[in-house]
Amino acid sequence: MKNIYLSGMKSISKVAVLGAGVLGSRIAFQVAANGIDVILYDVDSESFGRASQIFGWMEQYYADRLNASPADIEDAYNRLSYAFELEEVMGAELLIESIPENLEMKKELYLRLAGLADIDTILATNSATFVPSQLMEYTGRPERFLALHFANLLVQLNTAEVRGSPKTEPDVYATVVQFARDINMVPIEMRKEKDGY
């Protein structure tokens, strides 16, 4: 049964993960395996080849450790799609940025997103190095921006830190906390900005 959201919150039904590296790929598969459509975006086509290897490992883990059936795995793959252009992910309600920990790269991406994404879109960074206040000014929507930081061993250590900035709207924060629960993560609600774990 779906969770009941407080006034102002909404259920997330479509996600885009920006960056098909090790953690971005794991996040995408976790989202898809828990019944939510996800688009995995990257500018490097070779990243998707590496992502498919990660998916294969996660598929095996789900089958062996979490008793996922072949039908469950097939459903997860059916919920995954790929994009090379940012314009292709603009229908997502939540964009999770998981690109390298480089401030200039992140700044450039968020400036592009500010001009493309719908104003209601929630933006989240998976950064462990930068806190939301360091990035929010580039997003064009600081009130709808926060950090959603996943553990590297995402399946075994299924935790996700949720950190807002002083400008993050409470309903946005609460929506992302609930999204973390919906994808079988244990949300760790950080009440103060802090980099690292």
Side-chain angles (χ1 to χ4, degrees):
M1 188 167 84
K2 272 289 181 187
N3 294 290
I4 298 172
Y5 286 75
L6 298 174
S7 175
M9 293 193 296
K10 67 176 187 175
S11 176
I12 299 294
S13 61
K14 189 171 185 180
V15 173
V17 178
L18 311 179
V22 172
L23 195 47
S25 299
R26 290 176 181 177
I27 294 167
F29 194 89
Q30 182 75 11
V31 172
N34 284 278
I36 297 175
D37 293 338
V38 59
I39 308 168
L40 184 59
Y41 161 85
D42 206 291
V43 295
D44 180 9
S45 60
E46 292 183 3
S47 295
F48 295 124
R50 293 188 291 270
S52 67
Q53 295 176 345
I54 292 168
F55 295 160
W57 175 84
M58 291 188 74
E59 172 187 341
Q60 195 64 50
Y61 188 94
Y62 268 70
D64 294 345
R65 303 289 183 88
L66 303 178
N67 299 315
S69 69
D72 293 331
I73 299 300
E74 182 180 2
D75 183 62
Y77 280 113
N78 288 338
R79 292 184 179 279
L80 272 164
S81 59
Y82 304 89
F84 293 102
E85 302 292 337
L86 274 181
E87 288 81 1
E88 298 177 66
V89 307
M90 288 304 110
E93 298 152 318
L94 171 63
L95 303 179
I96 302 172
E97 170 266 307
S98 187
I99 67 172
E101 297 289 74
N102 178 294
L103 183 59
E104 286 305 311
M105 287 178 65
K106 290 181 186 292
K107 174 182 174 180
E108 180 181 348
L109 176 62
Y110 283 117
L111 287 172
R112 288 186 64 197
L113 290 173
L116 289 172
D118 186 89
I119 197 63
D120 291 331
T121 304
I122 297 173
L123 304 179
T125 180
N126 182 53
S127 179
T129 305
F130 303 106
V131 297
S133 290
Q134 292 175 276
L135 300 168
M136 66 183 183
E137 66 182 284
Y138 309 120
T139 68
R141 72 211 64 215
E143 72 284 354
R144 302 191 70 76
F145 175 69
L146 73 173
L148 177 60
H149 178 241
F150 294 81
N152 284 333
L153 298 175
L154 185 149
V155 180
Q156 300 99 317
L157 302 174
N158 62 324
T159 60
E161 297 171 335
V162 184
R163 298 191 301 267
S165 78
K167 293 189 177 181
T168 304
E169 288 182 352
D171 283 347
V172 169
Y173 185 93
T175 295
V176 173
V177 168
Q178 187 58 58
F179 165 75
R181 293 191 181 106
D182 288 344
I183 62 168
N184 201 31
M185 294 285 105
V186 176
I188 299 173
E189 299 186 48
M190 310 289 287
R191 298 302 179 182
K192 182 179 179 182
E193 288 191 320
K194 182 182 184 306
D195 59 353
Y197 286 92

